[in-house]
Amino acid sequence: MIKCYQAIVFLLLLLSLVGCEKKYEAPVPSLSWDEYNAPGAIPLTFRTRQAAEGVYSVTDGADMFGEQVALKWSFLIKGKDTTYYLSAFCEKDVSYIVLEGKRAHQTLYFEGYWRKIINTETGIVRFTIAADKGGKWLSADKMPVQRDSIIFSGVFGNNQDLPLNKITFKYQRPLNLKPLAILAHRGGGRTSDLLPASENSVEIVKLASRLGATGIEIDIRLTKDGIPILYHDNSLNLRLTQKNGLVGPIEEYTYQQLYTFVRLINGERIPTLAEVLDATLRNTNLSFVWLDTKYVGSLQVVRKIQKEYLQKADAAGRKLEIVIGLPETKAVDMYLALPDYASAPALCELDMETVRQTKAQIWAPRWTLGTQLDAVVQMKAEGRRVFVWTLDVPQYIQQYQEEGDFDGMLSNYPSIVAYYHYTQL
């Protein structure tokens, strides 16, 4: 009887510990600034948006976000509507700020949120550009260039707290716009980094450009009935999905089973490759998609979808590259088995001889091999581009941009890649 009682007490204690396990979250704060939503406030024009981009010094708030930021616009198309976002990419703590803007008379208003990727810190941020701080010039259709006068004056807070801490950006110089493909890992970022959307989801792809990405890498698997889907791990697990009762390799389930019973951590469905490419083409300004093949089998169906969406992009006058990734020898064999492999855009992560064998247009060595300047020069002399993966440590991202000669960088933190790229002198 005593042993039974002890067992019950132990079980209750265990359950209480599990129930008290800390859940880490970094939710996007709710926004409701009366001035931003005031009657008469109108969207910003193309000229205003373009003129506001640049590298800005940070005075108030430098201890929180660093001494300078890069401001860059992106957009998201929703049906017939287009929403424009101004992102501030910061050096300190891999921080970023996402804003929306409006104008009332000669004053510009911006509201959004900030986030530090290295932890769970987030909060509301609000800015104004007063008429005498660049607002008058930014509001006009035709006036001489006066970017040096632009000052963003604002406040930020923590979580849902009323923003009271001062933050000020002052225009310094234009962005560095030399070509560099800034690629976001797993569609935009990892689920473990507590982004507002799950990795390899349609929703994270729609968010990626706000995080600094100009392109994405996504993980491709096949369902039991041969449908290409996005999912990184071999098996269904609680790292990526909510509890659903299904276990084991994802390839053991049909697409309909996954669609019906499985939800990713943030509630999204596991998407098909076609759904993600459709969203990339129709809803975003992303220009590059890297299809990382995570299965063994035929590439025919992936090649068919790749060809279909390249044709759709061409018909829409849309700049969009879609390449089949070749991470290992089995993927190379699958690729070479395609009857039209020589015309199928591809990226190869293996040695240079394999790159040549596959006729891949892009070589993508891992970052731990170094900047490999001689090899990069040789590949470029052969008409290829060179991307490097997966760079996440800020000091190495900076070093590889300054000392290397890469055409693209893959990272879980595209915002810090964007920061070092756009601020580079």
Side-chain angles (χ1 to χ4, degrees):
M1 184 70 178
I2 293 176
K3 289 183 178 180
C4 181
Y5 175 76
Q6 290 175 333
I8 292 172
V9 170
F10 176 77
L11 180 60
L12 291 173
L13 177 61
L14 181 62
L15 290 172
S16 69
L17 289 173
V18 171
C20 294
E21 182 180 354
K22 187 171 182 179
K23 184 177 181 181
Y24 292 94
E25 296 179 314
V28 174
S30 300
L31 308 176
S32 57
W33 187 18
D34 290 341
E35 288 187 71
Y36 179 82
N37 296 302
I42 61 175
L44 304 179
T45 65
F46 172 78
R47 177 189 179 277
T48 300
R49 295 194 304 272
Q50 187 179 47
E53 288 188 338
V55 177
Y56 287 71
S57 63
V58 182
T59 51
D60 303 305
D63 56 336
M64 187 72 168
F65 298 103
E67 295 183 355
Q68 65 178 1
V69 297
L71 299 189
K72 187 79 170 65
W73 286 93
S74 63
F75 64 80
L76 181 66
I77 299 173
K78 307 172 185 176
K80 295 182 179 180
D81 299 322
T82 301
T83 303
Y84 295 92
Y85 298 96
L86 181 62
S87 295
F89 305 119
C90 319
E91 180 180 25
K92 190 169 183 181
D93 300 334
V94 193
S95 307
Y96 63 86
I97 300 170
V98 179
L99 303 163
E100 294 182 56
K102 289 182 180 179
R103 175 173 66 85
H105 304 294
Q106 294 181 340
T107 300
L108 277 62
Y109 297 91
F110 298 86
E111 183 177 34
Y113 70 97
W114 61 271
R115 170 76 202 281
K116 293 193 173 187
I117 286 292
I118 65 166
N119 53 42
T120 61
E121 290 183 73
T122 187
I124 297 170
V125 62
R126 295 167 178 168
F127 287 100
T128 59
I129 301 179
D132 61 344
K133 303 297 183 181
K136 181 179 180 180
W137 172 74
L138 286 169
S139 302
D141 290 330
K142 295 181 180 179
M143 283 187 70
V145 174
Q146 298 178 26
R147 288 187 175 89
D148 291 348
S149 67
I150 302 175
I151 296 177
F152 283 74
S153 301
V155 289
F156 70 94
N158 295 310
N159 300 311
Q160 284 295 147
D161 293 347
L162 187 68
L164 299 174
N165 306 296
K166 288 185 66 176
I167 180 170
T168 306
F169 298 161
K170 188 177 188 306
Y171 182 88
Q172 294 296 308
R173 63 182 188 274
L175 299 173
N176 165 42
L177 294 177
K178 294 178 182 177
L180 179 73
I182 302 173
L183 307 181
H185 201 209
R186 304 186 190 181
R190 297 173 298 191
T191 293
S192 58
D193 286 316
L194 305 178
L195 295 168
S198 305
E199 65 183 62
N200 280 308
S201 65
V202 170
E203 288 74 12
I204 196 73
V205 169
K206 291 179 179 180
L207 178 66
S209 59
R210 276 169 270 170
L211 305 180
T214 64
I216 54 174
E217 178 263 10
I218 52 179
D219 301 299
I220 312 302
R221 294 189 178 276
L222 288 186
T223 63
K224 186 176 181 180
D225 49 342
I227 305 296
I229 58 168
L230 272 62
Y231 195 81
H232 180 273
D233 296 358
N234 290 321
S235 301
L236 293 169
N237 58 59
L238 295 181
R239 185 188 81 81
L240 295 178
T241 67
Q242 299 175 359
K243 290 182 180 180
N244 56 68
L246 303 185
V247 296
I250 201 161
E251 287 85 356
E252 292 184 358
Y253 296 96
T254 65
Y255 172 69
Q256 190 59 47
Q257 288 173 316
L258 297 173
Y259 181 88
T260 303
F261 298 111
V262 179
R263 296 293 179 272
L264 298 174
I265 287 295
N266 289 288
E268 311 95 336
R269 289 186 170 89
I270 294 176
T272 66
L273 172 58
E275 287 174 329
V276 167
L277 292 181
D278 198 70
T280 302
L281 176 64
R282 300 181 188 280
N283 303 122
T284 78
N285 60 334
L286 298 170
S287 60
F288 193 94
V289 182
W290 172 347
L291 310 178
D292 191 8
T293 47
K294 294 289 187 183
Y295 69 92
V296 177
S298 173
L299 277 173
Q300 286 278 18
V301 65
V302 171
R303 170 57 179 150
K304 180 181 178 182
I305 294 172
Q306 177 197 38
K307 186 183 297 185
E308 176 188 351
Y309 277 90
L310 286 173
Q311 291 171 347
K312 287 183 176 181
D314 186 60
R318 175 83 155 76
K319 180 186 175 184
L320 180 63
E321 292 185 75
I322 305 169
V323 301
I324 296 174
L326 307 176
E328 55 184 21
T329 55
K330 289 181 180 178
V332 168
D333 293 339
M334 292 157 52
Y335 179 74
L336 293 176
L338 291 171
D340 64 340
Y341 80 88
S343 62
L347 171 154
C348 184
E349 300 177 24
L350 304 178
D351 59 90
M352 293 165 64
E353 285 307 311
T354 305
V355 175
R356 296 185 181 103
Q357 178 191 7
T358 58
K359 297 181 172 60
Q361 297 90 338
I362 301 171
W363 178 41
R366 63 182 183 273
W367 78 270
T368 52
L369 296 174
T371 54
Q372 303 186 85
L373 278 173
D374 291 342
V376 170
V377 169
Q378 189 172 346
M379 285 281 98
K380 289 190 173 188
E382 297 176 13
R384 295 181 174 87
R385 287 173 292 165
V386 184
F387 294 178
V388 62
W389 61 273
T390 299
L391 270 166
D392 290 339
V393 180
Q395 70 183 72
Y396 290 126
I397 292 172
Q398 182 181 21
Q399 178 188 345
Y400 276 51
Q401 289 195 26
E402 293 178 350
E403 300 176 9
D405 191 23
F406 296 105
D407 301 291
M409 286 189 171
L410 174 65
S411 178
N412 287 300
Y413 307 135
S415 63
I416 196 67
V417 178
Y419 169 81
Y420 284 117
H421 174 60
Y422 292 127
T423 61
Q424 192 172 27
L425 294 170

